[in-house]
Amino acid sequence: MTALKCIALIAHDQKKDDMAELARRHEAELSRRRIVATGTTGGRIKEACPSLDVTRLKSGPLGGDQQIGAMIATGEIDMLIFFVDPLTSMPHDVDVKALMRLATVYDIPMALNRATAEILLTPGALGA
C-alpha cells in the first residue's frame, strides 16, 4: 500500500470535542500527513494541536463536505475520518451521504466513529 498523502477530518457539532481529542492522541501520526478539515472542525483541531498544519475548508453545511467530496473524486484524499452524530438531525444530510458514498466508490479508508479512527491512525496501520 502506498503512503498516505492526505487525511480529511470532519465532525458534527456534538462530536467536535471527540475529534480534537483524537487529534491530540495521534498528533505525531497526523503531523506526517497533509490534513484537510471542514471549517469549525479544523479550527478546533488547530486549537488542540497548534503544531499541525491543517487546511481549513468551508463549514460542512456551507459546502465543505462537497469540497472534500471533490477532493476524494480527484484522488487528493487518502483517508476520511468523519465523526457523525447519529442522534441529531442534519439539514445537510444529503451532502453527508454523498460524501460517504464517494469514499466508498473511490475505496478509501473511512472511519465514522472513534473506535475505527483509532485503528486507522495506529502507526503503520495503513502504510508509512
Side-chain angles (χ1 to χ4, degrees):
M1 181 175 279
T2 60
L4 292 176
K5 298 174 204 140
C6 185
I7 300 175
L9 303 176
I10 307 170
H12 284 152
D13 289 344
Q14 299 301 318
K15 300 292 184 174
K16 291 188 191 312
D17 288 342
D18 290 344
M19 182 64 78
E21 178 58 27
L22 179 82
R24 269 193 292 275
R25 285 179 43 86
H26 295 279
E27 188 168 359
E29 181 69 14
L30 291 172
S31 70
R32 299 186 341 213
R33 314 295 183 197
R34 179 172 169 231
I35 306 295
V36 297
T38 49
T40 309
T41 300
R44 295 288 295 278
I45 293 166
K46 283 296 289 181
E47 287 173 15
C49 306
S51 69
L52 290 181
D53 182 18
V54 179
T55 301
R56 291 175 63 193
L57 305 174
K58 292 184 180 293
S59 169
L62 299 178
D65 295 337
Q66 292 178 341
Q67 286 179 293
I68 289 177
M71 294 175 76
I72 291 170
T74 58
E76 298 174 66
I77 304 276
D78 300 291
M79 179 194 301
L80 172 64
I81 298 176
F82 190 164
F83 285 178
V84 177
D85 179 3
L87 303 178
T88 303
S89 175
M90 299 292 153
H92 65 293
D93 191 53
V94 173
D95 297 333
V96 172
K97 288 178 181 169
L99 182 58
M100 290 188 282
R101 184 172 47 255
L102 283 168
T104 302
V105 166
Y106 287 93
D107 199 27
I108 65 167
M110 173 175 52
L112 300 178
N113 60 39
R114 187 175 184 133
T116 306
E118 291 284 350
I119 292 168
L120 292 181
L121 291 176
T122 300
L126 294 173

